[in-house]
Amino acid sequence: MIQLDKLSKIFIQKDGTKVKAVDEVSLTVPEGEICIFLGPSGCGKTTLMNTLNGVSPATNGKVYLFGQELISNYEYLKTQIGYVPQDDTIHRQLTVKQSLYYTAKLRLDNFTENEIDSKIDEILDQLGVLHVKNNLISKISGGQRKRVCIALELLSEPLILFLDEPTSPLDPQTIEDFLNILKDLSNRGTTVVMVTHKPEDLEYMDEVIFLAKGG
C-alpha cells in the first residue's frame, strides 16, 4: 500500500523564486492495483511520482510504503521498487538477453547461471517478448523496448512498479497489449503506478488521480 500525507514539492529557481509543483496531496493506493496520474503537461505528474519512488524526495509531507516511511527506510524500500523512466535507459548494442543477464548478475548475486537463464526466460515470456530474446535492442520495436525495460525491473521482483508515460511512443494496438500486460502484473500482486496524459488509458486502471496545474 502507498499512502501520502499532505505531500508538497517545491522547486527553487535560479532567481530564488519558489515554484510549488505538488500541492499538499494526500492519497492511498491499495496493494495490487494500477493507479494512474492523469493531467495536462506541467501539472506535476512526474514530480509526484518521483516523490513516491524516492528519486526526488518531497519538500513537505510524508510517503509511506507498506506502512514504512519512505525516506527514513529508503535503503530497504528501494529494493522493493521498480522504476521505468520515460526515456529508454537500455544499451541498444546489446541483445535483449545480454541486457537482462548483466542486470541479473548485479542484482541476483545468489543465483546460479541456470537460475538466471530461467528467470530471464520466465519474465520475457510473461511480458510477451521471449521471441526477441536474441535480437539486438536497436532492432526491436518501441513497444518491445518498453517491455524489456520493465523486464529489467522485474528481475528483482519489486512490489511496486513506477512507469513514466510508458504508452506515449506506442501505437493503439501496442498500447492495448501493453496495458493488458500491466493488468496481468497487478493481478499477480504488483502495485503499478503510471503517469500518462492519455484518457484512453483509463479503461485499464483501478485508481485514477487527476492533477491540475500547480499539482
Side-chain angles (χ1 to χ4, degrees):
M1 178 183 292
I2 303 171
Q3 294 174 294
L4 309 188
D5 182 21
K6 295 183 178 179
L7 200 77
S8 296
K9 179 67 178 181
I10 298 171
F11 293 102
I12 300 178
Q13 298 181 320
K14 291 182 179 180
D15 62 0
T17 303
K18 293 182 178 180
V19 177
K20 184 173 284 188
V22 177
D23 189 6
E24 294 194 0
V25 174
S26 298
L27 59 89
T28 299
V29 180
E31 291 182 38
E33 292 198 350
I34 304 180
C35 175
I36 191 172
F37 294 163
L38 182 67
S41 296
C43 69
K45 301 186 297 297
T46 295
T47 300
L48 177 58
M49 186 177 71
N50 285 340
T51 63
L52 306 189
N53 60 28
V55 170
S56 180
T59 306
N60 297 299
K62 293 185 180 295
V63 178
Y64 295 90
L65 304 183
F66 317 109
Q68 300 183 60
E69 199 276 321
L70 175 62
I71 301 306
S72 57
N73 297 285
Y74 186 67
E75 287 304 309
Y76 165 68
L77 289 174
K78 71 180 181 180
T79 66
Q80 310 300 314
I81 294 171
Y83 173 50
V84 179
Q86 186 173 356
D87 296 326
D88 293 341
T89 56
I90 47 179
H91 198 298
R92 298 198 176 198
Q93 298 310 308
L94 297 176
T95 66
V96 171
K97 179 180 179 180
Q98 287 172 331
S99 184
L100 268 73
Y101 175 79
Y102 294 138
T103 301
K105 293 294 285 185
L106 291 172
R107 298 184 184 181
L108 308 177
D109 54 353
N110 294 321
F111 276 49
T112 66
E113 293 292 314
N114 286 338
E115 287 172 334
I116 288 175
D117 287 343
S118 295
K119 185 77 170 178
I120 289 172
D121 285 354
E122 175 188 347
I123 292 173
L124 292 178
D125 185 49
Q126 179 183 354
L127 296 177
V129 285
L130 182 59
H131 62 290
V132 299
K133 180 175 74 171
N134 296 311
N135 293 24
L136 285 172
I137 291 171
S138 61
K139 301 297 184 182
I140 62 178
S141 70
Q144 290 168 338
R145 282 199 306 275
K146 189 61 66 176
R147 297 186 201 187
V148 172
C149 290
I150 292 175
L152 294 173
E153 296 304 309
L154 293 184
L155 283 169
S156 50
E157 299 183 358
L159 297 178
I160 304 175
L161 182 63
F162 293 95
L163 306 170
D164 191 1
E165 298 202 23
T167 60
S168 291
L170 308 183
D171 62 79
Q173 181 58 52
T174 303
I175 288 175
E176 182 177 357
D177 293 341
F178 180 79
L179 292 174
N180 279 320
I181 286 171
L182 295 186
K183 194 67 177 176
D184 182 58
L185 285 176
S186 73
N187 290 337
R188 294 168 182 253
T190 302
T191 302
V192 179
V193 177
M194 182 175 121
V195 168
T196 189
H197 60 271
K198 295 185 174 182
E200 56 267 32
D201 293 346
L202 291 174
E203 180 182 349
Y204 296 81
M205 304 299 131
D206 300 303
E207 302 279 337
V208 182
I209 307 300
F210 290 99
L211 291 176
K213 289 285 187 179

